[in-house]
Amino acid sequence: MKLLFVADPLESFKTYKDTTFSMMREAARRGHQIWACEPKDLVWRQGSRVVARAARAITLTGDAHDWFAVATTAELALADTDAIVMRKDPPFDSEFFYATHLLGQAEREGARVFNKPAALRDHPEKLAILEFPQYITPTLVTRSEEAIRAFHAEHRDIILKPLDGMGGMGIFRVGPDGLNLGSITETLNKGGAETVMVQRYLPEIVKGDKRVLVIGGQVVPFCLARIPQGSEVRGNLAVGGKGVAQAISARDREIAEALGPILAARGLLLVGLDVIGDCLTEINVTSPTCFQEIHDQTGFDVPKMFIDALEAALAAR
């Protein structure tokens, strides 16, 4: 098969932990052709099809640093591939949004895109949990400083975060003393111009912010608990959290098995659920990670499960 990965620059990959790289490696092991481009390479012109300018066909070298070699560079029509794997990292900004529309046009021309572009737009990673209130901690979404103060007065210990953050960026905890609540609110809501998510603090974060993966509607039996270090309240690996792979709990499985078939039916082949304690906190659909950490620590072959699911989805067409 000819697979096109739409991703960040290949030169930026940290191959020892990069999930997209692990997907490519497994696909290459099976003999599939690997092509890559960036969202900025996508072009549509009237009377033609969506193409990736200067798409690169690559081979994997096995070298940890110079990990790929370019076999050829060409303009590639997306509909001439067998599958497109959209793996551009957040933030979900205007350019990401526009890329999903170009990928949607490619679908109309016959391309197969995973995750489905419309589903990416319909499931913003923080707000997607609102559909499943039975699994989440008390949560408020608002621009209003007054509403945030009332939420704090009720719950006493809260987390505030921007809706467009990633990797733990812009997350604040305010305890019972309310120290700096006004300043934090003003910083996040830009004086009432932007919407903020506020949640009751979950003390179980000390045991980790668990990434539970769902592939083709099926639950990966191991998760990665990202454990805050030192005085840090965030477990994100990007801010120094320690990743510890572990078997998923009964509650993790309950949440994942409830959401998995629903999300898969909407065109989300790969989903990363974030769970703290017993509560769902985010639904990650843009470029969920942790494949290699789980594989390295448990031996469970997550990349194999993903490529199996991708091949099955293409065969079922």
Side-chain angles (χ1 to χ4, degrees):
M1 294 193 303
K2 180 184 290 187
L3 306 181
L4 173 65
F5 289 81
V6 182
D8 289 298
L10 300 180
E11 292 79 5
S12 71
F13 282 25
K14 296 180 174 63
T15 56
Y16 67 93
K17 67 174 184 177
D18 192 278
T19 288
T20 305
F21 168 73
S22 75
M23 294 174 174
M24 291 177 171
R25 182 173 56 191
E26 175 61 20
R29 187 187 67 79
R30 302 184 188 202
H32 300 315
Q33 298 178 47
I34 308 301
W35 288 73
C37 74
E38 298 173 43
K40 69 179 183 180
D41 297 321
L42 301 179
V43 175
W44 178 84
R45 64 179 62 88
Q46 187 176 11
S48 184
R49 299 181 293 172
V50 178
V51 300
R53 294 180 309 154
R56 296 188 285 181
I58 64 170
T59 58
L60 307 190
T61 65
D63 187 291
H65 300 290
D66 297 322
W67 65 271
F68 70 94
V70 178
T72 189
T73 300
E75 181 173 282
L76 178 66
L78 271 59
D80 289 341
T81 67
D82 293 289
I84 297 146
V85 184
M86 176 52 161
R87 290 289 301 173
K88 175 67 180 72
D89 285 343
F92 192 112
D93 55 14
S94 294
E95 289 302 323
F96 193 107
F97 177 77
Y98 303 147
T100 67
H101 278 285
L102 287 170
L103 291 171
Q105 175 60 27
E107 283 185 316
R108 289 187 285 273
E109 297 164 2
R112 300 290 305 278
V113 185
F114 305 90
N115 284 328
K116 192 172 178 65
L120 290 175
R121 293 195 298 273
D122 287 346
H123 296 82
E125 301 191 325
K126 291 181 174 61
L127 292 176
I129 66 171
L130 306 188
E131 183 180 353
F132 307 101
Q134 66 272 39
Y135 298 118
I136 69 176
T137 188
T139 297
L140 170 71
V141 179
T142 185
R143 296 186 187 186
S144 167
E145 180 178 355
E146 180 181 2
I148 292 171
R149 288 191 178 278
F151 189 87
H152 177 262
E154 179 182 0
H155 295 289
R156 306 296 294 160
D157 201 351
I158 63 173
I159 292 289
L160 301 93
K161 52 189 174 182
L163 295 180
D164 60 353
M166 62 174 184
M169 180 183 66
I171 293 178
F172 294 89
R173 178 185 178 185
V174 177
D177 60 8
L179 189 64
N180 286 330
L181 178 59
S183 177
I184 291 168
T185 300
E186 292 165 8
T187 298
L188 292 178
N189 79 346
K190 304 292 193 297
E194 295 188 7
T195 303
V196 178
M197 175 171 279
V198 191
Q199 295 178 305
R200 184 179 66 187
Y201 173 71
L202 294 165
E204 296 89 347
I205 184 61
V206 299
K207 297 180 180 179
D209 180 355
K210 296 173 287 184
R211 170 59 55 83
V212 179
L213 295 168
V214 184
I215 299 175
Q218 301 300 308
V219 185
V220 174
F222 296 91
C223 67
L224 191 75
R226 296 158 298 172
I227 302 171
Q229 300 297 293
S231 60
E232 181 60 70
V233 71
R234 300 168 296 174
N236 307 76
L237 301 182
V239 296
K242 179 181 179 181
V244 177
Q246 59 191 40
I248 62 173
S249 69
R251 176 63 169 178
D252 298 338
R253 182 173 291 280
E254 176 190 356
I255 295 171
E257 288 184 346
L259 273 60
I262 296 171
L263 299 175
R266 297 173 183 173
L268 294 168
L269 183 70
L270 172 61
V271 174
L273 306 176
D274 288 350
V275 180
I276 299 175
D278 289 338
C279 294
L280 175 70
T281 60
E282 290 189 18
I283 298 175
N284 295 272
V285 300
T286 51
S287 59
T289 60
C290 300
F291 278 31
Q292 292 208 67
E293 293 90 342
I294 292 172
H295 186 196
D296 291 346
Q297 294 183 40
T298 70
F300 184 86
D301 199 336
V302 189
K304 178 182 182 299
M305 182 176 174
F306 176 78
I307 298 298
D308 284 347
L310 178 64
E311 291 175 344
L314 293 171
R317 183 171 185 173

